[in-house]
Amino acid sequence: MSAMHVHVVTIFPELFASPLAVGIVKRARDGGLLRISLVDLREYTSDRHRSTGDYPYGGGHGMVMKPEPIVAALDAIAAGAPHARRVLLSPRGSVLDHALVAALAREKDLVLICGRYEGVDERVRTFVDDEISIGDYVLSGGEIAALVLIDAVTRLIPGARGNVASALSESFTSGTLEYPQYTRPATFRGLEVPPVLLSGDHTAIERWRESEAQRITRRVRPDLLREPAESTSGTLAETPAGPAAHRSTAAQPPRARARNR
Ligand code: 9D3
């Protein structure tokens, strides 16, 4: 099994060190299941000031990411990984969910492009396969979103966690939230562990866990119980033509568009 290779294009490579040096991600890297290459976007600038952003045509506040350094970095990565799936992290993307994480986890090479400033030049989208957001709130850039994506994808790489059975039993594959869990002591500050969990009756325990999971999901996330989560294999909503058009995710059935908001 050859390692999955994630290439991260960013102006802040130093931001990635500690999150990728602990836990399951560290284990996957140390075990040769995951390789991460941090690509400093400034290395692909050509002007004296190593600029990665510029003022917006038409006016407006803030700066826009210049297209040349990003596409130069993509070209350099493509020299070694011509089939890499290119993902732009952006608030305009489709929202990351388990189905999309699972699809990404099947790739050999991923390129994650982290935007900064007020966004990236629109023409960059011609060179990417997917545009992904991690939720409807504003971040300062794509880096933390890229870390979220790497973390979630790594958990699904075969062998990254002890066994594959736990991957299948994980929440969001099952369609409900998790049941309540307890460990010792049996009484903590007057709070008791539910007696059924101490009963040794494994059938009763299983029934209790299922009903608790249902009750909690109904209260917190009723949307998870209504529609079964649908597969999202691709997310590039616009630009059906261009260099990305031949890729597996470019052509989408109309229903995929609905997830793009
Ligand atoms: C005025 C419109 N703003 C969009 C909501 C501008 C803007 C704000 C922040 C453009 C880019 C950013 C930086 N955010 C990301 O790069 C980003 C992000 C996010 O902000 N939320 C959720 N997911 C992501 S993935 C990348």
Side-chain angles (χ1 to χ4, degrees), residues 27-245:
R27 272 232 323 270
R29 297 174 74 191
D30 291 349
L33 298 174
L34 173 66
R35 180 175 170 199
I36 303 211
S37 296
L38 299 173
V39 178
D40 185 347
L41 188 61
R42 283 201 201 281
E43 304 281 309
Y44 294 92
T45 57
S46 45
D47 64 314
R48 203 161 58 82
H49 296 104
R50 309 182 88 196
S51 316
T52 54
D54 203 344
Y55 300 98
Y57 274 121
H61 70 282
M63 306 253 280
V64 175
M65 299 275 286
K66 291 167 63 60
E68 307 98 310
I70 294 175
V71 174
L74 292 178
D75 285 347
I77 293 163
H83 304 296
R85 183 163 171 175
R86 298 165 169 181
V87 175
L88 174 65
L89 283 313
S90 146
R92 255 174 64 179
S94 23
V95 178
L96 189 65
D97 65 4
H98 177 80
L100 182 48
V101 171
L104 295 171
R106 288 193 283 271
E107 298 288 338
K108 177 87 197 63
D109 288 272
L110 281 182
V111 183
L112 306 182
I113 304 153
C114 305
R116 277 273 154 179
Y117 317 125
E118 291 306 304
V120 305
D121 185 287
E122 187 68 23
R123 293 165 290 187
V124 167
R125 293 187 168 82
T126 308
F127 298 87
V128 311
D129 302 297
D130 301 273
E131 184 167 358
I132 297 177
S133 160
I134 61 163
D136 295 338
Y137 38 81
V138 181
L139 301 172
S140 305
E143 284 80 5
I144 290 173
L147 285 165
V148 167
L149 192 156
I150 291 168
D151 188 90
V153 164
T154 301
R155 299 174 59 80
L156 298 185
I157 298 175
R161 298 176 298 153
N163 60 81
V164 182
S166 52
L168 297 173
S169 69
E170 194 155 289
S171 190
F172 297 112
T173 329
S174 74
T176 65
L177 301 178
E178 279 158 20
Y179 53 76
Q181 299 188 92
Y182 297 85
T183 186
R184 292 187 293 182
T187 307
F188 172 70
R189 299 204 178 185
L191 303 169
E192 307 282 354
V193 173
V196 64
L197 298 178
L198 310 178
S199 70
D201 182 342
H202 295 290
T203 308
I205 290 168
E206 188 55 32
R207 275 201 303 263
W208 180 84
R209 285 177 167 170
E210 273 167 25
S211 78
E212 284 295 291
Q214 287 287 330
R215 182 183 62 79
I216 289 164
T217 307
R218 209 173 319 118
R219 193 209 297 155
V220 181
R221 293 292 307 278
D223 57 301
L224 292 180
L225 297 174
R226 294 197 216 299
E227 34 171 337
E230 217 174 310
S231 171
T232 312
S233 56
T235 61
L236 188 65
E238 297 183 343
T239 60

